[in-house]
């Protein structure tokens, strides 16, 4: 058992009182069957800086913030490129991921980069090809990345990252299979637990975010404004929404106006929803999210949302979240989805 006396070392200061809730993007009628009341506008980026590295939190799962016997955390994280085409849903094992990044790809669609460490399933998928922003998203975690291939220049960049690459095109050990009940190319499945076991000599991940001791003590719970629904658009092709559910003590996910279900038939949910407004390089037919620098963000926990600034100094640096005075924001222990919403063609709407 983990030591009951193990506590986190705090970093930064919480902002007292309620924080002003500012939306972002254009006012769009999303047609999601939601009662949308507050329409977002662009928010200024505070002139603040965050600490360079997450605060050490011994006895805590680094990607989830939950207590753990340290011996159970001594294995690498597994990042997998996961399909989000309608034909790929429901995905396998996505509900057990610690972190999920949603990013824009071609045709206005999105794909996921999901990371598992605290709870690695037997199988995850459907696995798809790598994209140019993935090395920038994943380099700070180390460990393993699995994908089905990709354009040569994108694969080369991923192989040059600090992660061990496990690629469907090169698989000689049978770690990937094609599922009989799914159509190609939405049918590639990875033996996730076996992959991690085979490479258990790799180091565990370092923390990405800071975590409070409980959801009630998370920064957004203390300093945010009530928010029932978070609606994001990555393009004109479709929208997704997160609705706060007090009974589930989490946010329930919808896509294109329908509940987004996991492989068990339950609605996908998140303890924390973090929205980052990001620049997108559209100089080729494959859009590339830019995830170094800083920008506007919103952090939602426990039914409340607060504005923030995100910082990422380099590909190998973690994302830092700071409040209006530069103090590090602490998330609630649990899983987190990070929505990388384009500044040019995306929008964010926050509903009180």
């Amino acid at each position: 058992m983990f030591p009951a006396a193990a506590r986190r070392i705090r970093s930064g200061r919480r902002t007292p009182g309620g924080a002003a809730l500012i939306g972002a993007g254009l006012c769009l009628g999303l047609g999601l069957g939601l009662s949308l009341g507050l329409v977002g506008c662009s928010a200024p980026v505070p002139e603040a800086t965050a600490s360079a590295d997450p605060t050490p939190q011994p006895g805590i799962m680094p990607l989830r913030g939950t207590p753990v016997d340290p011996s159970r955390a001594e294995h690498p994280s597994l990042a997998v490129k996961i399909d989000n085409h309608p034909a790929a849903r429901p995905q396998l094992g996505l509900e057990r991921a610690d972190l999920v990044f949603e990013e824009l790809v071609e045709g206005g669609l999105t794909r996921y980069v999901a990371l598992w460490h605290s709870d690695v399933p037997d199988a995850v998928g459907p696995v798809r090809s790598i994209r140019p922003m993935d090395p920038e998203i994943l380099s700070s975690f180390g460990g393993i990345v699995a994908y089905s291939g990709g354009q040569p220049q994108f694969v080369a960049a991923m192989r040059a990252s600090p992660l061990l690459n496990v690629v469907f095109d090169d698989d000689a050990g049978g770690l990937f299979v094609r599922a009989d009940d799914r159509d190609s190319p939405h049918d590639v499945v990875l033996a996730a637990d076996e992959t991690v076991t085979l490479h258990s000599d790799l180091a565990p991940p370092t923390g990405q975010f800071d975590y409070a001791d409980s959801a009630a003590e998370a920064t957004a719970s203390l300093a945010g404004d009530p928010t029932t629904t978070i609606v994001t658009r990555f393009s004109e092709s479709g929208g997704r929404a997160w609705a706060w559910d007090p009974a589930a003590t989490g946010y329930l996910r919808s896509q294109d106006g329908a509940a987004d279900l996991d492989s068990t038939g339950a609605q996908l949910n998140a303890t924390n929803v973090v929205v980052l407004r990001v620049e997108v390089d559209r100089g080729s037919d494959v859009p590339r999210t830019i995830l170094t620098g800083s920008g506007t963000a919103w952090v939602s926990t426990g039914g409340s949302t607060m504005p923030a600034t995100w910082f990422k100094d380099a590909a190998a640096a973690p994302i830092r979240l700071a409040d209006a005075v530069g103090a590090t924001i602490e998330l609630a222990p649990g899983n987190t989805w990070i929505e990388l919403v384009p500044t040019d063609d995306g929008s964010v709407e926050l509903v009180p």
Side-chain angles (χ1 to χ4, degrees):
M1 296 290 291
F2 68 94
R7 304 287 288 179
R8 299 165 179 78
I9 302 172
R10 297 294 184 188
S11 65
R13 295 178 291 123
R14 292 195 178 93
T15 303
L21 182 62
I22 305 173
L26 301 175
C27 305
L28 296 175
L30 298 183
L32 296 176
L34 300 170
S35 177
L36 303 180
L38 174 65
V39 176
C41 307
S42 296
V45 177
E47 293 183 2
T49 58
S51 56
D53 297 298
T55 301
Q57 296 176 302
I60 301 300
M61 274 295 187
L63 305 188
R64 187 174 282 256
T66 50
V68 65
D69 181 331
S71 66
R72 293 186 53 230
E74 290 300 316
H75 58 83
S77 58
L78 171 66
V80 184
K81 192 71 179 181
I82 299 292
D83 200 351
N84 190 33
H85 189 280
R89 306 171 194 157
Q91 293 88 355
L92 301 175
L94 195 58
E95 67 278 6
R96 292 167 62 179
D98 295 323
L99 301 174
V100 180
F101 291 84
E102 184 170 17
E103 62 188 34
L104 180 71
V105 293
E106 307 91 293
L109 301 176
T110 65
R111 285 189 185 173
Y112 304 133
V113 177
L115 291 106
W116 289 266
H117 181 247
S118 63
D119 182 18
V120 183
D122 290 337
V124 301
V127 182
R128 291 302 300 271
S129 54
I130 210 71
R131 287 297 182 270
M133 57 288 230
D134 295 327
E136 198 167 54
I137 293 173
L138 294 174
S139 288
S140 63
F141 297 98
I144 308 163
V145 59
Y147 52 98
S148 64
Q151 294 187 25
Q153 67 273 26
F154 304 156
V155 173
M158 195 72 251
R159 290 190 186 278
S161 77
L163 285 80
L164 173 72
N165 285 228
V166 176
V167 188
F168 174 72
D169 295 346
D170 303 334
D171 184 31
L175 293 173
F176 295 92
V177 298
R178 288 193 180 273
D180 293 335
D181 59 346
R182 294 172 181 258
D183 295 330
S184 181
H186 315 290
D187 59 346
V188 177
V189 175
L190 174 72
D193 186 60
E194 183 180 352
T195 300
V196 171
T197 300
L198 282 173
H199 302 289
S200 59
D201 57 318
L202 296 176
T206 57
Q208 184 76 194
F209 301 111
D210 279 57
Y211 295 91
D213 289 323
S214 67
E217 296 175 272
T219 310
S221 296
L222 295 172
D225 287 342
T227 310
T228 62
T229 309
I230 307 145
V231 183
T232 62
R233 274 192 181 277
F234 288 71
S235 69
E236 296 182 357
S237 298
R240 57 271 299 121
W242 293 96
W244 170 245
D245 185 345
T249 61
Y251 295 88
L252 302 181
R253 180 177 169 85
S254 299
Q255 287 201 88
D256 306 325
D260 195 5
L261 304 181
D262 64 26
S263 55
T264 71
Q267 196 166 359
L268 285 166
N269 68 84
T271 301
N272 306 288
V273 177
V274 176
V275 177
L276 308 184
R277 298 307 303 268
V278 294
E279 300 293 332
V280 175
D281 181 354
R282 301 178 186 270
S284 70
D285 58 345
V286 180
R288 175 178 174 264
T289 296
I290 308 299
L291 198 58
T292 52
S294 64
T296 301
W298 290 267
V299 178
S300 298
T301 301
S304 294
T305 300
M306 65 179 296
T309 302
W310 66 266
F311 301 85
K312 186 172 169 61
D313 296 334
I319 297 168
R320 309 298 300 134
L321 299 170
D323 67 13
V325 298
T328 298
I329 292 171
E330 292 182 333
L331 303 181
N335 69 321
T336 301
W337 281 60
I338 302 99
E339 306 278 8
L340 304 177
V341 179
T343 57
D344 59 352
D345 197 28
S347 65
V348 180
E349 193 168 5
L350 304 169
V351 185

